[in-house]
PDB file of all heavy atoms in Angstrom:
ATOM      1  N   SER A1426      19.551 -53.605  74.979  1.00 88.00           N
ATOM      2  CA  SER A1426      19.454 -54.483  73.876  1.00 88.00           C
ATOM      3  C   SER A1426      19.589 -53.746  72.547  1.00 88.00           C
ATOM      4  O   SER A1426      19.532 -54.333  71.463  1.00 88.00           O
ATOM      5  CB  SER A1426      18.242 -55.308  73.919  1.00 88.00           C
ATOM      6  OG  SER A1426      17.081 -54.509  73.789  1.00 88.00           O
ATOM      7  N   TYR A1427      19.733 -52.381  72.567  1.00 92.00           N
ATOM      8  CA  TYR A1427      19.618 -51.458  71.357  1.00 92.00           C
ATOM      9  C   TYR A1427      21.064 -51.228  70.903  1.00 92.00           C
ATOM     10  O   TYR A1427      21.876 -50.631  71.782  1.00 92.00           O
ATOM     11  CB  TYR A1427      18.839 -50.294  71.531  1.00 92.00           C
ATOM     12  CG  TYR A1427      17.372 -50.449  71.733  1.00 92.00           C
ATOM     13  CD1 TYR A1427      16.819 -51.050  72.880  1.00 92.00           C
ATOM     14  CD2 TYR A1427      16.523 -50.006  70.636  1.00 92.00           C
ATOM     15  CE1 TYR A1427      15.448 -51.165  72.921  1.00 92.00           C
ATOM     16  CE2 TYR A1427      15.136 -50.203  70.671  1.00 92.00           C
ATOM     17  CZ  TYR A1427      14.645 -50.749  71.882  1.00 92.00           C
ATOM     18  OH  TYR A1427      13.217 -50.877  71.872  1.00 92.00           O
ATOM     19  N   ALA A1428      21.374 -51.415  69.634  1.00 95.00           N
ATOM     20  CA  ALA A1428      22.530 -50.742  69.074  1.00 95.00           C
ATOM     21  C   ALA A1428      22.156 -49.231  68.951  1.00 95.00           C
ATOM     22  O   ALA A1428      21.061 -48.933  68.662  1.00 95.00           O
ATOM     23  CB  ALA A1428      22.862 -51.343  67.787  1.00 95.00           C
ATOM     24  N   MET A1429      23.152 -48.349  69.119  1.00 96.00           N
ATOM     25  CA  MET A1429      22.820 -46.901  69.097  1.00 96.00           C
ATOM     26  C   MET A1429      23.649 -46.178  68.172  1.00 96.00           C
ATOM     27  O   MET A1429      24.779 -46.687  67.831  1.00 96.00           O
ATOM     28  CB  MET A1429      23.114 -46.324  70.488  1.00 96.00           C
ATOM     29  CG  MET A1429      22.243 -46.927  71.630  1.00 96.00           C
ATOM     30  SD  MET A1429      20.481 -46.595  71.385  1.00 96.00           S
ATOM     31  CE  MET A1429      20.472 -44.845  71.601  1.00 96.00           C
ATOM     32  N   GLY A1430      23.242 -45.137  67.636  1.00 98.00           N
ATOM     33  CA  GLY A1430      23.959 -44.375  66.638  1.00 98.00           C
ATOM     34  C   GLY A1430      23.825 -42.911  66.835  1.00 98.00           C
ATOM     35  O   GLY A1430      22.809 -42.445  67.502  1.00 98.00           O
ATOM     36  N   TRP A1431      24.798 -42.116  66.380  1.00 98.00           N
ATOM     37  CA  TRP A1431      24.685 -40.650  66.284  1.00 98.00           C
ATOM     38  C   TRP A1431      24.744 -40.232  64.885  1.00 98.00           C
ATOM     39  O   TRP A1431      25.524 -40.731  64.103  1.00 98.00           O
ATOM     40  CB  TRP A1431      25.868 -39.999  67.088  1.00 98.00           C
ATOM     41  CG  TRP A1431      25.748 -40.014  68.588  1.00 98.00           C
ATOM     42  CD1 TRP A1431      26.244 -40.834  69.456  1.00 98.00           C
ATOM     43  CD2 TRP A1431      24.900 -39.069  69.361  1.00 98.00           C
ATOM     44  NE1 TRP A1431      25.905 -40.617  70.633  1.00 98.00           N
ATOM     45  CE2 TRP A1431      25.069 -39.472  70.667  1.00 98.00           C
ATOM     46  CE3 TRP A1431      24.134 -37.980  69.060  1.00 98.00           C
ATOM     47  CZ2 TRP A1431      24.485 -38.790  71.752  1.00 98.00           C
ATOM     48  CZ3 TRP A1431      23.538 -37.342  70.113  1.00 98.00           C
ATOM     49  CH2 TRP A1431      23.825 -37.749  71.423  1.00 98.00           C
ATOM     50  N   PHE A1432      23.899 -39.327  64.492  1.00 98.00           N
ATOM     51  CA  PHE A1432      23.851 -38.740  63.132  1.00 98.00           C
ATOM     52  C   PHE A1432      23.853 -37.235  63.326  1.00 98.00           C
ATOM     53  O   PHE A1432      23.657 -36.715  64.357  1.00 98.00           O
ATOM     54  CB  PHE A1432      22.571 -39.254  62.392  1.00 98.00           C
ATOM     55  CG  PHE A1432      22.614 -40.656  62.062  1.00 98.00           C
ATOM     56  CD1 PHE A1432      22.260 -41.639  62.978  1.00 98.00           C
ATOM     57  CD2 PHE A1432      22.809 -41.080  60.788  1.00 98.00           C
ATOM     58  CE1 PHE A1432      22.342 -42.994  62.725  1.00 98.00           C
ATOM     59  CE2 PHE A1432      22.803 -42.390  60.457  1.00 98.00           C
ATOM     60  CZ  PHE A1432      22.578 -43.286  61.415  1.00 98.00           C
ATOM     61  N   ARG A1433      24.152 -36.568  62.206  1.00 98.00           N
ATOM     62  CA  ARG A1433      24.037 -35.101  62.233  1.00 98.00           C
ATOM     63  C   ARG A1433      23.539 -34.633  60.863  1.00 98.00           C
ATOM     64  O   ARG A1433      23.663 -35.221  59.851  1.00 98.00           O
ATOM     65  CB  ARG A1433      25.419 -34.452  62.540  1.00 98.00           C
ATOM     66  CG  ARG A1433      26.464 -34.709  61.533  1.00 98.00           C
ATOM     67  CD  ARG A1433      27.799 -34.204  61.932  1.00 98.00           C
ATOM     68  NE  ARG A1433      28.815 -34.346  60.919  1.00 98.00           N
ATOM     69  CZ  ARG A1433      30.200 -34.066  61.151  1.00 98.00           C
ATOM     70  NH1 ARG A1433      30.542 -33.672  62.380  1.00 98.00           N
ATOM     71  NH2 ARG A1433      31.073 -34.281  60.217  1.00 98.00           N
ATOM     72  N   GLN A1434      22.895 -33.408  60.960  1.00 98.00           N
ATOM     73  CA  GLN A1434      22.471 -32.776  59.777  1.00 98.00           C
ATOM     74  C   GLN A1434      22.803 -31.350  59.793  1.00 98.00           C
ATOM     75  O   GLN A1434      22.307 -30.555  60.714  1.00 98.00           O
ATOM     76  CB  GLN A1434      20.878 -33.072  59.646  1.00 98.00           C
ATOM     77  CG  GLN A1434      20.304 -32.605  58.251  1.00 98.00           C
ATOM     78  CD  GLN A1434      18.942 -33.072  58.021  1.00 98.00           C
ATOM     79  OE1 GLN A1434      18.258 -33.438  59.019  1.00 98.00           O
ATOM     80  NE2 GLN A1434      18.534 -33.088  56.776  1.00 98.00           N
ATOM     81  N   ALA A1435      23.556 -30.828  58.812  1.00 97.00           N
ATOM     82  CA  ALA A1435      23.838 -29.485  58.727  1.00 97.00           C
ATOM     83  C   ALA A1435      22.779 -28.802  57.762  1.00 97.00           C
ATOM     84  O   ALA A1435      22.168 -29.433  56.995  1.00 97.00           O
ATOM     85  CB  ALA A1435      25.235 -29.310  58.115  1.00 97.00           C
ATOM     86  N   PRO A1436      22.676 -27.456  57.875  1.00 92.00           N
ATOM     87  CA  PRO A1436      21.756 -26.823  57.037  1.00 92.00           C
ATOM     88  C   PRO A1436      21.918 -26.998  55.474  1.00 92.00           C
ATOM     89  O   PRO A1436      23.020 -26.904  55.028  1.00 92.00           O
ATOM     90  CB  PRO A1436      21.909 -25.246  57.429  1.00 92.00           C
ATOM     91  CG  PRO A1436      22.478 -25.302  58.793  1.00 92.00           C
ATOM     92  CD  PRO A1436      23.255 -26.560  58.859  1.00 92.00           C
ATOM     93  N   GLY A1437      20.852 -27.416  54.824  1.00 95.00           N
ATOM     94  CA  GLY A1437      20.991 -27.685  53.362  1.00 95.00           C
ATOM     95  C   GLY A1437      21.634 -28.940  53.034  1.00 95.00           C
ATOM     96  O   GLY A1437      21.979 -29.095  51.802  1.00 95.00           O
ATOM     97  N   LYS A1438      21.970 -29.728  54.043  1.00 96.00           N
ATOM     98  CA  LYS A1438      22.655 -31.074  53.756  1.00 96.00           C
ATOM     99  C   LYS A1438      21.791 -32.260  54.262  1.00 96.00           C
ATOM    100  O   LYS A1438      20.867 -32.046  55.020  1.00 96.00           O
ATOM    101  CB  LYS A1438      23.991 -31.124  54.346  1.00 96.00           C
ATOM    102  CG  LYS A1438      24.967 -30.044  53.769  1.00 96.00           C
ATOM    103  CD  LYS A1438      26.345 -30.278  54.321  1.00 96.00           C
ATOM    104  CE  LYS A1438      27.325 -29.352  53.678  1.00 96.00           C
ATOM    105  NZ  LYS A1438      28.706 -29.573  54.184  1.00 96.00           N
ATOM    106  N   GLU A1439      22.099 -33.358  53.656  1.00 96.00           N
ATOM    107  CA  GLU A1439      21.408 -34.581  54.165  1.00 96.00           C
ATOM    108  C   GLU A1439      21.898 -34.969  55.527  1.00 96.00           C
ATOM    109  O   GLU A1439      23.050 -34.764  55.865  1.00 96.00           O
ATOM    110  CB  GLU A1439      21.612 -35.684  53.130  1.00 96.00           C
ATOM    111  CG  GLU A1439      20.885 -35.423  51.790  1.00 96.00           C
ATOM    112  CD  GLU A1439      20.909 -36.629  50.826  1.00 96.00           C
ATOM    113  OE1 GLU A1439      21.661 -37.642  51.180  1.00 96.00           O
ATOM    114  OE2 GLU A1439      20.244 -36.552  49.827  1.00 96.00           O
ATOM    115  N   ARG A1440      21.112 -35.733  56.279  1.00 97.00           N
ATOM    116  CA  ARG A1440      21.536 -36.359  57.453  1.00 97.00           C
ATOM    117  C   ARG A1440      22.641 -37.303  57.218  1.00 97.00           C
ATOM    118  O   ARG A1440      22.596 -38.101  56.257  1.00 97.00           O
ATOM    119  CB  ARG A1440      20.360 -37.084  58.175  1.00 97.00           C
ATOM    120  CG  ARG A1440      20.714 -37.565  59.614  1.00 97.00           C
ATOM    121  CD  ARG A1440      19.485 -37.929  60.368  1.00 97.00           C
ATOM    122  NE  ARG A1440      18.398 -36.886  60.355  1.00 97.00           N
ATOM    123  CZ  ARG A1440      17.290 -37.025  61.137  1.00 97.00           C
ATOM    124  NH1 ARG A1440      17.068 -38.197  61.863  1.00 97.00           N
ATOM    125  NH2 ARG A1440      16.516 -36.064  61.165  1.00 97.00           N
ATOM    126  N   GLU A1441      23.757 -37.286  57.959  1.00 98.00           N
ATOM    127  CA  GLU A1441      24.797 -38.181  57.753  1.00 98.00           C
ATOM    128  C   GLU A1441      25.170 -38.969  59.110  1.00 98.00           C
ATOM    129  O   GLU A1441      24.995 -38.472  60.181  1.00 98.00           O
ATOM    130  CB  GLU A1441      26.085 -37.388  57.306  1.00 98.00           C
ATOM    131  CG  GLU A1441      26.607 -36.475  58.242  1.00 98.00           C
ATOM    132  CD  GLU A1441      27.940 -35.786  57.828  1.00 98.00           C
ATOM    133  OE1 GLU A1441      28.461 -36.276  56.683  1.00 98.00           O
ATOM    134  OE2 GLU A1441      28.503 -34.915  58.471  1.00 98.00           O
ATOM    135  N   PHE A1442      25.767 -40.100  58.803  1.00 98.00           N
ATOM    136  CA  PHE A1442      26.174 -40.910  59.959  1.00 98.00           C
ATOM    137  C   PHE A1442      27.380 -40.341  60.667  1.00 98.00           C
ATOM    138  O   PHE A1442      28.279 -39.849  59.946  1.00 98.00           O
ATOM    139  CB  PHE A1442      26.518 -42.329  59.374  1.00 98.00           C
ATOM    140  CG  PHE A1442      27.190 -43.211  60.423  1.00 98.00           C
ATOM    141  CD1 PHE A1442      26.464 -43.879  61.347  1.00 98.00           C
ATOM    142  CD2 PHE A1442      28.564 -43.468  60.305  1.00 98.00           C
ATOM    143  CE1 PHE A1442      27.107 -44.680  62.281  1.00 98.00           C
ATOM    144  CE2 PHE A1442      29.143 -44.303  61.296  1.00 98.00           C
ATOM    145  CZ  PHE A1442      28.451 -44.902  62.194  1.00 98.00           C
ATOM    146  N   VAL A1443      27.430 -40.448  61.926  1.00 98.00           N
ATOM    147  CA  VAL A1443      28.626 -39.974  62.636  1.00 98.00           C
ATOM    148  C   VAL A1443      29.303 -41.162  63.502  1.00 98.00           C
ATOM    149  O   VAL A1443      30.514 -41.296  63.292  1.00 98.00           O
ATOM    150  CB  VAL A1443      28.205 -38.876  63.767  1.00 98.00           C
ATOM    151  CG1 VAL A1443      29.463 -38.562  64.612  1.00 98.00           C
ATOM    152  CG2 VAL A1443      27.634 -37.712  63.038  1.00 98.00           C
ATOM    153  N   ALA A1444      28.538 -41.940  64.200  1.00 98.00           N
ATOM    154  CA  ALA A1444      29.212 -42.948  65.016  1.00 98.00           C
ATOM    155  C   ALA A1444      28.010 -43.925  65.488  1.00 98.00           C
ATOM    156  O   ALA A1444      26.889 -43.667  65.488  1.00 98.00           O
ATOM    157  CB  ALA A1444      29.888 -42.378  66.258  1.00 98.00           C
ATOM    158  N   ALA A1445      28.480 -45.160  65.749  1.00 98.00           N
ATOM    159  CA  ALA A1445      27.664 -46.239  66.224  1.00 98.00           C
ATOM    160  C   ALA A1445      28.294 -47.062  67.183  1.00 98.00           C
ATOM    161  O   ALA A1445      29.530 -47.182  67.251  1.00 98.00           O
ATOM    162  CB  ALA A1445      27.191 -47.182  65.083  1.00 98.00           C
ATOM    163  N   ILE A1446      27.429 -47.729  68.044  1.00 97.00           N
ATOM    164  CA  ILE A1446      28.029 -48.519  69.094  1.00 97.00           C
ATOM    165  C   ILE A1446      27.038 -49.737  69.335  1.00 97.00           C
ATOM    166  O   ILE A1446      25.839 -49.586  69.227  1.00 97.00           O
ATOM    167  CB  ILE A1446      28.176 -47.867  70.491  1.00 97.00           C
ATOM    168  CG1 ILE A1446      28.895 -48.530  71.463  1.00 97.00           C
ATOM    169  CG2 ILE A1446      26.860 -47.280  70.979  1.00 97.00           C
ATOM    170  CD1 ILE A1446      29.400 -47.838  72.680  1.00 97.00           C
ATOM    171  N   SER A1447      27.610 -50.927  69.498  1.00 95.00           N
ATOM    172  CA  SER A1447      26.824 -52.167  69.725  1.00 95.00           C
ATOM    173  C   SER A1447      26.140 -52.068  71.049  1.00 95.00           C
ATOM    174  O   SER A1447      26.476 -51.252  71.933  1.00 95.00           O
ATOM    175  CB  SER A1447      27.704 -53.366  69.631  1.00 95.00           C
ATOM    176  OG  SER A1447      28.695 -53.354  70.662  1.00 95.00           O
ATOM    177  N   TRP A1448      25.102 -52.911  71.382  1.00 93.00           N
ATOM    178  CA  TRP A1448      24.431 -52.904  72.611  1.00 93.00           C
ATOM    179  C   TRP A1448      25.323 -53.180  73.795  1.00 93.00           C
ATOM    180  O   TRP A1448      25.191 -52.757  74.863  1.00 93.00           O
ATOM    181  CB  TRP A1448      23.106 -53.822  72.576  1.00 93.00           C
ATOM    182  CG  TRP A1448      23.548 -55.319  72.534  1.00 93.00           C
ATOM    183  CD1 TRP A1448      23.430 -56.094  71.471  1.00 93.00           C
ATOM    184  CD2 TRP A1448      23.913 -56.235  73.600  1.00 93.00           C
ATOM    185  NE1 TRP A1448      23.768 -57.436  71.856  1.00 93.00           N
ATOM    186  CE2 TRP A1448      24.067 -57.426  73.095  1.00 93.00           C
ATOM    187  CE3 TRP A1448      24.162 -55.998  74.936  1.00 93.00           C
ATOM    188  CZ2 TRP A1448      24.402 -58.547  73.886  1.00 93.00           C
ATOM    189  CZ3 TRP A1448      24.628 -56.956  75.804  1.00 93.00           C
ATOM    190  CH2 TRP A1448      24.715 -58.351  75.185  1.00 93.00           C
ATOM    191  N   SER A1449      26.434 -53.921  73.560  1.00 93.00           N
ATOM    192  CA  SER A1449      27.347 -54.348  74.732  1.00 93.00           C
ATOM    193  C   SER A1449      28.401 -53.299  74.846  1.00 93.00           C
ATOM    194  O   SER A1449      29.093 -53.268  75.854  1.00 93.00           O
ATOM    195  CB  SER A1449      27.988 -55.650  74.360  1.00 93.00           C
ATOM    196  OG  SER A1449      28.809 -55.502  73.110  1.00 93.00           O
ATOM    197  N   GLY A1450      28.546 -52.501  73.832  1.00 93.00           N
ATOM    198  CA  GLY A1450      29.602 -51.459  73.903  1.00 93.00           C
ATOM    199  C   GLY A1450      30.881 -52.001  73.379  1.00 93.00           C
ATOM    200  O   GLY A1450      31.929 -51.238  73.362  1.00 93.00           O
ATOM    201  N   CYS A1451      30.971 -53.220  72.971  1.00 94.00           N
ATOM    202  CA  CYS A1451      32.238 -53.920  72.500  1.00 94.00           C
ATOM    203  C   CYS A1451      32.637 -53.287  71.211  1.00 94.00           C
ATOM    204  O   CYS A1451      33.813 -53.418  70.841  1.00 94.00           O
ATOM    205  CB  CYS A1451      31.979 -55.341  72.508  1.00 94.00           C
ATOM    206  SG  CYS A1451      31.896 -56.113  74.147  1.00 94.00           S
ATOM    207  N   SER A1452      31.663 -52.997  70.402  1.00 95.00           N
ATOM    208  CA  SER A1452      32.066 -52.460  68.977  1.00 95.00           C
ATOM    209  C   SER A1452      31.592 -51.124  68.753  1.00 95.00           C
ATOM    210  O   SER A1452      30.490 -50.659  69.113  1.00 95.00           O
ATOM    211  CB  SER A1452      31.311 -53.378  67.976  1.00 95.00           C
ATOM    212  OG  SER A1452      31.841 -54.738  68.003  1.00 95.00           O
ATOM    213  N   THR A1453      32.554 -50.329  68.148  1.00 97.00           N
ATOM    214  CA  THR A1453      32.200 -49.023  67.766  1.00 97.00           C
ATOM    215  C   THR A1453      32.634 -48.802  66.330  1.00 97.00           C
ATOM    216  O   THR A1453      33.515 -49.436  65.778  1.00 97.00           O
ATOM    217  CB  THR A1453      32.818 -47.912  68.680  1.00 97.00           C
ATOM    218  OG1 THR A1453      34.324 -48.107  68.715  1.00 97.00           O
ATOM    219  CG2 THR A1453      32.358 -48.045  70.175  1.00 97.00           C
TER     220      THR A1453
END
């Protein structure tokens, strides 16, 4: 039931969005 996301953070930088997916997997 959870939408999921991936984020990343490089040294000295803010955390940034990478990718997301809906709970069904239908949307990315």
